[in-house]
Every structure is written in structure tokens, then in C-alpha cells.
């Protein structure tokens, strides 16, 4: 047995268990060894039931004395109670609501470990635990390995399908005894300096801590073994990224020329005076574009900070040098909006701007593609339709990717392959917390626009419950009478887009006919034909539509400075970052802007989100909160995130280890102890880590 052995070949793993493990992404022995305990219990020196005190979290090992169901027996709705005791003869009562299934699990005389909060029931005068975690200790001791489960610090695993923590523990133990250890690839000088245990020892002690292990460190994921595994996962990832960066820097790229004429053209295009931050960022971009290697730069800035015009400046540099520019947007609405914007400001200079999205007919697309291939279009704006194989550029020099976190790394590469190493500028409006940005965008240089255009007033955010919606509408009317415009947004749930369209449609009818019969109300949603989308956008922009009823398709990028009120219905259904993005559609002009969050039913999490938004307009703060509330996977929508899948490490919990690992990795790649060390490391990353990290090529 070695690390690559499929788990289905391991004794004790039949087809059913193998399938359950696979559902968790665990296929090989190596996968399983990276499935580390989420908690540890000290079962070496435990209290008896008689020693338990109300209020404490505790583990006890007890025998089942009696069980009973009470309440509604039908449909497992009832309360299941079991009475436990031990040599101290004191009684502990375990209670489980909806616990009917336990009637077939627990039986008198069984030995079980219980973990939970001890409470004192003043009515019955008994100690109780409500829904304790439970592990059955008696029974199927296949290998007589009872010593694994008690009398020591015991690892607790998250169950996998029907595989219990106990079964996982047994399996893990068997594998650790049988598998041949692999050599340690972490550079020796690092192991010495950071006092890291050897890899195999770290794995073993993370699963089965030695008798003198510190339980607090273990449960805080900072035992020496855990630290080593976390560090290592980050270290190889950061090495991979550093290698990619180094390689990108040696590729031949375009050395754009930045002469007087280019400067004049930029000046002629600019509709306003750039802010200091915008000037600094275009300077950084221009320096990168001048250099004879491909640019890989992320432009980060909160909503409304004015990224688009900076991107347009970069476009002018490329076009004046005889190259084409591609702009990739995540949604049709945003592509449409960019289309309008770029067309408007670049036509002054006589450039041709084209829009290419999925909703054009095949014939239209064919014509557009011809123009692109012949080099007649200077700027091509589109959704992922731009990535299709048959879209060919004559001379692509600059690729601008907007709202990058919605595209995976692979898609970014797809576009880049259309040119001979074109420069790449990625724009993101989601202020990504630093630790995450380092990993997600580790292969990019970063420019930050940290200043809003002058004259902006902070948006005032209010919360209103649904029963006060009349007041919200009359406020809205009053604002419109003062010459402003407004958005009313409805949530789209991904599974049922059609249904949300209907809701928006109905609301549109209701608002236009009953609530605001004297105002012009428009409708915008994802299913409209491209022409209708464009005309709705245009009419709203030109002020002919006063209230735009929309689904979240307007979430990113839409820019109408005269719109000063954003009403978000059922705001409890949106995530924090999404609400912040939506709110960012207002507050773009000189007038005081308002965001009103209307809610129906709220749980605690929703209340927390609404409060955060009412209190803060700081995008960085909000995204930190969002990340904390949701965790990195969900934050980016796991699949398309391009976020590497970490196993032992956790970006939220282990940010400070990431910082150390990154520093060491950059140092190691730049100054390896020897060429041989570097070669070994590159081969190791390629064989073991590349696919998992989503790094396409390394070295
Ligand atoms: P975002 O960073 O969210 O993409 P935009 O590029 O859409 O922001 O810009 C937001 C608004 O601010 C737009 O109406 C834009 O024309 C305006 N704007 C950007 N920069 C400036 C500036 N320096 N002075 C005045 N208005 C600006
Ligand atoms: Mg934008």
C-alpha cells in the first residue's frame, strides 16, 4: 500500500464505503490522510458522571441504562431520551428531538462516549445533555482496537456519509500502520529554522496525538504536526504561484510605446480630471505595458471608484500602438453597459468598438467575428462568448477582464491564448480581503484605487420592514419629483430564474399601474433580448425611465449617476457582498443617495447582514465580514472561483501561516540552496500538488 493506492483496495473499505468517501473527494490513501480531525477529545483521564458540573463542555464514557420515546411518535417528531450512568452510579440524561431513529441505535448495556454541554434540569433535578455528540464504543471491535477510542487523546472526524468518526479512526490507524512513508520534500533548512517535525511524523501525530500532546493547541490547529501540514500546503501552493510568476516574467511580451501622441489621445478622451489614485494606477499600468514582458495586473477598487476610465486609458495605449483590445465581462448587462461606455468615449478618437455576446444570432456573430479577425474592430467587448474557439483576433494586445472572481483561472487563460502573450488587466470591484487576494491573485501584480471621485456623499442606508413599504414608495416618489431616478431590485434565486423574472414582471405591472401611474417605470431582466436590454439601459441612462424595476442583473457595473435611490426588496435573501454591489449602483453623482433594504422574514444571520450594511459603506470591511460569515468556498461560489482546494489549511483560520509560507516560498524560488533542490521541488509540485491547486503549468 502506498499513497496512490485507491481506498477501495484498503481492507475494510467495500464499494459502499468507497462511494461515500469519494463523495467527500477522498479517493486515494493520500486523500484520506489529508482528511484531518476537526476536533480532539482527551479521553485519557476523564470525569465520571458524578463529577460533571452544569455549564461545562465535557466528554463522559457511560453505559446505556434505559431509553424511551415521548411526544409524537409519528414521523419521528418525538423526543428521544436515554439514561446513562457509570461506575459513579450518577445519572445523565441525553435528549434528542426528532430522535426516533436512535431507538434502533441505542440499546441497554451499550457503552458510549458522549460529548456536549452539561445542563441541570431544575424540573427533574437531573443532569442532562441536549443533542450530545455520541460515539458507540461497544460492539463491532473488528481488530480489538478498543484502545484507539478511549484512554487517550482521541481524534474526532467529520463523518463521511454513513461512515462514523469511529470507523474513520480505525481506518486511519490501519492505513498509518501499513502504508510506506514517503520522503520529506520540504527543504531541510526550513524544517530546521521553523522547527517543523518531519512530514510523516506530522501526519501520524495529527491523527493520533502522542500522550503528552497539548489539547488546547490541537483544538486550535496549532500543534507542531498540524502547523507543519498547514505550512506545507501553503508553501507548495505559493511556490507554484511564484514559479508561474517567474516564468511569466521571462515570456516575450509587447513593449508598448508611450509617446506624446498617445498622451495627447488619452487627454482628448478623458471626460473629467482623474483622481490622484487613478493617475497613480494608470502610471503603474503604463510602466507594465512599456516593459517587454506580458503584464499580469489586478486593478482593485471599491464600487464607484472609477476603474472603467483607467481601463479605457490602457486601451488607448494599446490601440495607438496598432493592437486590438478585448474586454471580457461576466454578464450581458455589464457587457452591454461597457459597450455603450467604450463606444461613447472611444468614438471621439475614431476607434471602432464592437459588442459580441451570446444572444446574437449565428449570422450576426459570424459577421462580427469577421470584423474582429480582419482587425477592423479596435475594441471587442463581450461575455464568455468571446472565449469561443472561432473568435480570432488579428492582433490582440490587451485583454481586460472585468469582475474577475466570476471567471476561473482557466477562462482567463483561454482569452490570453488568443494573442501572442497580450497584456492582461483584471478589474475587480469586490474588495478581496488581503489573505485571500494573496492566494487567489498570487500570480498578479496589484494596483489599488483607494480614493473615490470628488464630490461623492456617503450613501445613507436604511432598513424597512415590509409593512412599511408604503412609506418607502412615497419617499421614492418625492425623490423622483426632485429630478432623481431609482432602482427597485428583486432577488433572483439561481435555480428558478424564470420564477424571479415573473416576480419582477408582476412587480413592474404593480408599480407602473397602481403605485406610480404618473411615472415612467422600466423593466430589466436577464431574459430580455439584447436589443431590449440595450434600449432599457439607454432610456434609463438618458432619464426617460424614472424607476427601473430589475432583477440582480444590474448588480455589477451599471452606471447611471442621476440614480440616487436603490430599493432592495427581500433584502434578507441577498449576501453581504451582493448587497454592497447593488448599493454601489447609487451614490455615483453629486446628489445625496439612499439605499433602502426592505425585508420580510429575517433570521439572525440576515439581521446581522442588514445591520452591517446599515452601519458601513466600507467595501473592505464588508467583504471581511462576508468572508467570516460564509467561509471562502461559498464566498466565491466554489466551482468557478479558481480558488485552490486546500485540505488541511483554512485561509480564514490560518492567515498568519499563509503569510509566513508565502515569504519563505518566494525566497526559496528566488534563491534555492542549489539547482538540484529547485529541480526536486518543481518535480514534486508537478506530481503532487499542481492539479489540486488548479495551477495549469508550473516551471
Ligand atoms: P467602478 O470602479 O465601480 O467600475 P466606474 O468606472 O463605473 O466605477 O465609475 C463610477 C462613476 O464615476 C462613473 O460615472 C464615472 O464616470 C465617474 N468617475 C470616474 N472617475 C471620475 C473622476 N475622476 N471624476 C469624476 N467622475 C469620475
Ligand atoms: Mg465597473
Amino acid at each position: 500500500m502506498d499513497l496512490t493506492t485507491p481506498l477501495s483496495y484498503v481492507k475494510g473499505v467495500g464499494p459502499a464505503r468507497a462511494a461515500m468517501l469519494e463523495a467527500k473527494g477522498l479517493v486515494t490513501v493520500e486523500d484520506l490522510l489529508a482528511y484531518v480531525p476537526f476536533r480532539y477529545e482527551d479521553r485519557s483521564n476523564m470525569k465520571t458522571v458524578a463529577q460533571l458540573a452544569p455549564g461545562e463542555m465535557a466528554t463522559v464514557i457511560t453505559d446505556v441504562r434505559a431509553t424511551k420515546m415521548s411526544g409524537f411518535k409519528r414521523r419521528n417528531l418525538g423526543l428521544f431520551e436515554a439514561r446513562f450512568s457509570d461506575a459513579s452510579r450518577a445519572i445523565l440524561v441525553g435528549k434528542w428531538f426528532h430522535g426516533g431513529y436512535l431507538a434502533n441505535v441505542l440499546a441497554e448495556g451499550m457503552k458510549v462516549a458522549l460529548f456536549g454541554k452539561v445542563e441541570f434540569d431544575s424540573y427533574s433535578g437531573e443532569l442532562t445533555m441536549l443533542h450530545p455528540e455520541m460515539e458507540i464504543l461497544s460492539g463491532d471491535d473488528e481488530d480489538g482496537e478498543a484502545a484507539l477510542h478511549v484512554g487517550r487523546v482521541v481524534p474526532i472526524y467529520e463523518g463521511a456519509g454513513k461512515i462514523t468518526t469511529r470507523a474513520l479512526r480505525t481506518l486511519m490507524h490501519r492505513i498509518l500502520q501499513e502504508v510506506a512513508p514517503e520522503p520529506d520534500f520540504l527543504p531541510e533548512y526550513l524544517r530546521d529554522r521553523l522547527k517543523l517535525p518531519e512530514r510523516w511524523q506530522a501526519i501520524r501525530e495529527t491523527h493520533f496525538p502522542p500522550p503528552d500532546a497539548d489539547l488546547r493547541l490541537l483544538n486550535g490547529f496549532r500543534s507542531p504536526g498540524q502547523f507543519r501540514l498547514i505550512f506545507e500546503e501553503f508553501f507548495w501552493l505559493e511556490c507554484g504561484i511564484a514559479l508561474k510568476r517567474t516564468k511569466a516574467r521571462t515570456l516575450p511580451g509587447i513593449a508598448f510605446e508611450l509617446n506624446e501622441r498617445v498622451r495627447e489621445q488619452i487627454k482628448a478622451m478623458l471626460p473629467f480630471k482623474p483622481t490622484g489614485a487613478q493617475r497613480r494606477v494608470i502610471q503603474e499600468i503604463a510602466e507594465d505595458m512599456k516593459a517587454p514582458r506580458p503584464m499580469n495586473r489586478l486593478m482593485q477598487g471599491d464600487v464607484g471608484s472609477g476603474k472603467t476610465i483607467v481601463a479605457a486609458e490602457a486601451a488607448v495605449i494599446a490601440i495607438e500602438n496598432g493592437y486590438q483590445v478585448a474586454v471580457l465581462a461576466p454578464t450581458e448587462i455589464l457587457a452591454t453597459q461597457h459597450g455603450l461606455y467604450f463606444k461613447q468615449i472611444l468614438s471621439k478618437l475614431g476607434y471602432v468598438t464592437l459588442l459580441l455576446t451570446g444572444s446574437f444570432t449565428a449570422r450576426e456573430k459570424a459577421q462580427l467575428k469577421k470584423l474582429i479577425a480582419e482587425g477592423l474592430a479596435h475594441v471587442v467587448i463581450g461575455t464568455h462568448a468571446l472565449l469561443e474557439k472561432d473568435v480570432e483576433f488579428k492582433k490582440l494586445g490587451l485583454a481586460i477582464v472585468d469582475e474577475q472572481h466570476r471567471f476561473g483561472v482557466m477562462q482567463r487563460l483561454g482569452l490570453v491564448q488568443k494573442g501572442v502573450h497580450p497584456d492582461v488587466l483584471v478589474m475587480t470591484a469586490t474588495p478581496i480581503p488581503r489573505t485571500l487576494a494573496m492566494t487567489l491573485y498570487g500570480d498578479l501584480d496589484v494596483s489599488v484605487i483607494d480614493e473615490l471621485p470628488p464630490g461623492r456623499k456617503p450613501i445613507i442606508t436604511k432598513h424597512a420592514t415590509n409593512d412599511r413599504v408604503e412609506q418607502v414608495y412615497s419617499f421614492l416618489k418625492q425623490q423622483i419629483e426632485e429630478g432623481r431616478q431609482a432602482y427597485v431590485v428583486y432577488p433572483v434565486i439561481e435555480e428558478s430564474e424564470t420564477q424571479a423574472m415573473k416576480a419582477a414582471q408582476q412587480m413592474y405591472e404593480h408599480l407602473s399601474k397602481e403605485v406610480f401611474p404618473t411615472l415612467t417605470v422600466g423593466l430589466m431582466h436577464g431574459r430580455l433580448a439584447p436589443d431590449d436590454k440595450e434600449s432599457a439601459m439607454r432610456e434609463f441612462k438618458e432619464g426617460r425611465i424614472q424607476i427601473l424595476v430589475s432583477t440582480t442583473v444590474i448588480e455589477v457595473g451599471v452606471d447611471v449617476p442621476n440614480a440616487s435611490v436603490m430599493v432592495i426588496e427581500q433584502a434578507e435573501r441577498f449576501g453581504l457582498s451582493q448587497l454592497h454591489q447593488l448599493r454601489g449602483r447609487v451614490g455615483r453623482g453629486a446628489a445625496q443617495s439612499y439605499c433602502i433594504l426592505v425585508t420580510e422574514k429575517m433570521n439572525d444571520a440576515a439581521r446581522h447582514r442588514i445591520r452591517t450594511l446599515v452601519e458601513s459603506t466600507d467595501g473592505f470591511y464588508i467583504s471581511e465580514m462576508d468572508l467570516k460569515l460564509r467561509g471562502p468556498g461559498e464566498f466565491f461560489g466554489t466551482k468557478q472561483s479558481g480558488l485552490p482546494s486546500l485540505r488541511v489549511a483554512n485561509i480564514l483560520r490560518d492567515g498568519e501561516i499563509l503569510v509566513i509560507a508565502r515569504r519563505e516560498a518566494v525566497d526559496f524560488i528566488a534563491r534555492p540552496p542549489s539547482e538540484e533542490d529547485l529541480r526536486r521541488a518543481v518535480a514534486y509540485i508537478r506530481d503532487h500538488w499542481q492539479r489540486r491547486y488548479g495551477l495549469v503549468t508550473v516551471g
Side-chain angles (χ1 to χ4, degrees):
M1 189 191 299
D2 66 19
L3 291 176
T4 62
T5 306
L7 288 168
S8 51
Y9 295 0
V10 174
K11 185 180 161 228
V13 184
R17 278 188 167 183
M20 288 180 230
L21 291 168
E22 191 171 347
K24 283 256 179 191
L26 308 173
V27 179
T28 64
V29 163
E30 184 172 27
D31 293 339
L32 192 66
L33 289 177
Y35 193 71
V36 297
F38 74 97
R39 192 167 70 71
Y40 299 82
E41 274 179 21
D42 188 351
R43 294 184 186 168
S44 57
N45 195 1
M46 270 182 313
K47 291 188 173 175
T48 62
V49 174
Q51 289 167 328
L52 293 177
E56 69 177 343
M57 296 293 295
T59 307
V60 276
I61 291 180
T62 60
D63 301 314
V64 181
R65 285 280 182 273
T67 65
K68 77 165 188 222
M69 273 300 291
S70 58
F72 315 95
K73 288 208 174 86
R74 262 184 320 126
R75 292 192 292 149
N76 283 348
L77 288 178
L79 175 69
F80 183 84
E81 273 189 30
R83 303 175 72 77
F84 301 95
S85 95
D86 59 9
S88 74
R89 315 192 59 120
I91 296 287
L92 174 68
V93 182
K95 295 186 178 183
W96 288 265
F97 289 103
H98 304 278
Y101 67 98
L102 288 171
N104 303 322
V105 176
L106 285 181
E108 227 178 289
M110 275 182 173
K111 197 173 263 318
V112 299
L114 298 170
F115 171 77
K117 185 163 181 205
V118 182
E119 279 165 294
F120 180 71
D121 181 346
S122 53
Y123 179 70
S124 63
E126 288 169 325
L127 290 178
T128 63
M129 279 186 182
L130 187 60
H131 290 205
E133 255 180 58
M134 182 174 64
E135 181 179 334
I136 296 167
L137 297 174
S138 53
D140 60 339
D141 248 327
E142 314 149 24
D143 301 341
E145 277 165 340
L148 268 185
H149 311 292
V150 286
R152 61 186 300 158
V153 173
V154 172
I156 309 292
Y157 299 93
E158 207 177 283
K162 285 187 178 154
I163 311 177
T164 61
T165 183
R166 178 183 169 85
L168 282 166
R169 196 181 298 134
T170 306
L171 186 59
M172 217 58 96
H173 191 256
R174 182 175 308 145
I175 285 176
L176 279 170
Q177 282 183 326
E178 290 180 20
V179 74
E182 65 167 358
D184 197 336
F185 281 87
L186 208 58
E188 210 173 310
Y189 75 91
L190 269 180
R191 260 187 284 152
D192 287 348
R193 182 148 48 76
L194 298 173
K195 304 202 172 41
L196 302 175
E198 189 273 327
R199 175 172 167 79
W200 205 247
Q201 184 191 348
I203 291 176
R204 208 172 311 128
E205 295 190 359
T206 294
H207 289 289
F208 296 98
D212 59 346
D214 182 327
L215 195 70
R216 270 230 328 267
L217 283 185
L218 279 169
N219 280 324
F221 289 85
R222 290 296 178 272
S223 73
Q226 290 163 316
F227 187 98
R228 142 97 208 204
L229 297 179
I230 293 167
F231 174 85
E232 169 166 50
E233 201 165 47
F234 283 140
F235 178 79
W236 293 123
L237 170 64
E238 292 294 343
C239 279
I241 291 171
L243 285 166
K244 255 181 86 170
R245 263 171 99 112
T246 317
K247 191 174 165 202
R249 261 152 228 264
T250 60
L251 289 176
I254 307 159
F256 292 97
E257 207 185 316
L258 200 62
N259 53 27
E260 228 10 74
R261 181 183 156 74
V262 178
R263 278 180 234 280
E264 286 303 318
Q265 291 287 74
I266 289 178
K267 249 195 228 142
M269 173 210 59
L270 283 176
F272 39 65
K273 198 162 152 280
T275 61
Q278 285 170 324
R279 270 206 301 275
R280 176 171 43 75
V281 169
I282 188 60
Q283 197 60 43
E284 288 166 7
I285 292 170
E287 286 303 319
D288 248 9
M289 291 182 73
K290 271 192 329 199
R293 53 177 169 73
M295 166 168 81
N296 269 299
R297 187 165 285 276
L298 175 72
M299 171 163 54
Q300 198 179 17
D302 207 345
V303 275
S305 61
K307 294 180 292 294
T308 324
I309 197 74
V310 176
E313 289 180 272
V316 173
I317 299 177
I319 297 165
E320 286 299 318
N321 277 269
Y323 286 89
Q324 291 170 291
V325 177
V327 181
L328 189 61
T331 65
E332 278 213 32
I333 303 285
L334 186 53
T336 308
Q337 146 106 7
H338 274 326
L340 288 172
Y341 188 86
F342 278 88
K343 212 175 271 177
Q344 184 202 333
I345 59 174
L346 295 180
S347 62
K348 274 190 270 180
L349 305 182
Y351 302 157
V352 178
T353 303
L354 275 191
L355 184 65
L356 181 68
T357 64
S359 28
F360 284 102
T361 65
R363 238 185 83 214
E364 288 166 328
K365 276 194 211 163
Q367 274 166 355
L368 293 172
K369 283 172 189 167
K370 198 155 161 261
L371 291 176
I372 301 169
E374 286 168 358
L376 295 174
H378 296 107
V379 182
V380 183
I381 292 154
T383 53
H384 49 263
L386 265 193
L387 298 171
E388 282 165 24
K389 275 215 181 58
D390 58 346
V391 179
E392 275 170 35
F393 286 80
K394 178 147 191 254
K395 212 177 167 195
L396 180 62
L398 173 67
I400 297 168
V401 185
D402 197 1
E403 311 294 346
Q404 196 267 338
H405 73 260
R406 296 175 178 235
F407 294 102
V409 178
M410 296 302 281
Q411 280 175 310
R412 210 161 79 205
L413 283 170
L415 186 60
V416 169
Q417 275 150 9
K418 294 196 178 295
V420 187
H421 307 306
D423 281 6
V424 177
L425 178 64
V426 177
M427 303 198 275
T428 177
T430 309
I432 295 149
R434 228 187 97 72
T435 43
L436 206 52
M438 276 169 51
T439 307
L440 200 54
Y441 298 125
D443 56 337
L444 303 179
D445 297 304
V446 179
S447 291
V448 182
I449 304 188
D450 51 6
E451 180 185 351
L452 292 180
R456 296 280 174 81
K457 297 191 186 70
I459 301 164
I460 296 173
T461 304
K462 297 275 185 205
H463 171 216
T465 45
N466 200 29
D467 52 343
R468 286 170 44 209
V469 77
E470 294 304 323
Q471 273 162 277
V472 174
Y473 290 154
S474 72
F475 174 73
L476 215 150
K477 185 145 191 236
Q478 176 199 326
Q479 283 284 307
I480 286 169
E481 276 159 7
E482 285 175 28
R484 306 276 93 78
Q485 290 165 276
Y487 299 93
V488 179
V489 174
Y490 282 83
V492 174
I493 328 154
E494 265 165 57
E495 307 82 78
S496 64
E497 212 180 326
T498 326
Q499 202 185 325
M501 301 307 160
K502 273 199 205 129
Q505 176 82 38
Q506 270 169 14
M507 201 30 78
Y508 163 73
E509 308 275 335
H510 173 64
L511 290 181
S512 60
K513 296 202 177 111
E514 287 152 42
V515 187
F516 304 114
T518 58
L519 305 179
T520 39
V521 182
L523 176 64
M524 173 69 102
H525 60 66
R527 294 276 167 91
L528 292 179
D531 281 355
D532 294 341
K533 272 182 209 154
E534 193 172 326
S535 73
M537 276 315 303
R538 195 187 307 253
E539 283 178 37
F540 190 57
K541 222 164 183 153
E542 290 168 358
R544 281 182 283 141
I545 289 175
Q546 292 166 301
I547 299 175
L548 189 64
V549 176
S550 174
T551 59
T552 49
V553 289
I554 59 141
E555 179 189 344
V556 286
V558 172
D559 180 45
V560 178
N562 190 50
S564 69
V565 186
M566 165 65 66
V567 178
I568 304 175
E569 301 266 356
Q570 296 176 30
E572 71 273 13
R573 292 167 66 174
F574 293 98
L576 258 183
S577 292
Q578 206 180 5
L579 287 170
H580 180 64
Q581 292 291 328
L582 282 169
R583 176 168 64 179
R585 298 310 111 215
V586 297
R588 297 179 156 248
Q592 176 62 56
S593 287
Y594 301 88
C595 173
I596 302 165
L597 306 169
V598 182
T599 60
E600 285 177 14
K601 288 185 286 233
M602 283 205 286
N603 58 19
D604 280 350
R607 216 164 277 130
H608 196 114
R609 291 197 295 271
I610 302 290
R611 191 166 348 111
T612 304
L613 222 54
V614 169
E615 283 167 4
S616 173
T617 52
D618 178 349
F620 275 93
Y621 172 75
I622 288 166
S623 76
E624 290 275 358
M625 290 298 283
D626 199 19
L627 184 59
K628 284 211 182 93
L629 290 174
R630 291 199 288 164
E634 232 187 299
F635 184 82
F636 284 100
T638 335
K639 274 283 147 46
Q640 354 154 356
S641 70
L643 195 69
S645 49
L646 299 165
R647 287 186 172 166
V648 184
N650 171 328
I651 288 184
L652 278 186
R653 185 190 64 205
D654 304 325
E656 85 273 12
I657 303 182
L658 174 60
V659 174
I660 304 171
R662 179 179 175 81
R663 196 177 54 221
E664 295 296 350
V666 168
D667 194 58
F668 173 73
I669 297 299
R671 284 174 296 277
S674 74
E675 280 302 309
E676 175 55 25
D677 281 291
L678 184 61
R679 236 192 329 271
R680 244 165 60 104
V682 170
Y684 179 63
I685 296 170
R686 191 183 297 126
D687 296 347
H688 285 77
W689 302 81
Q690 177 165 302
R691 198 168 40 93
R692 223 168 93 192
Y693 288 149
L695 297 170
V696 178
T697 49
V698 173

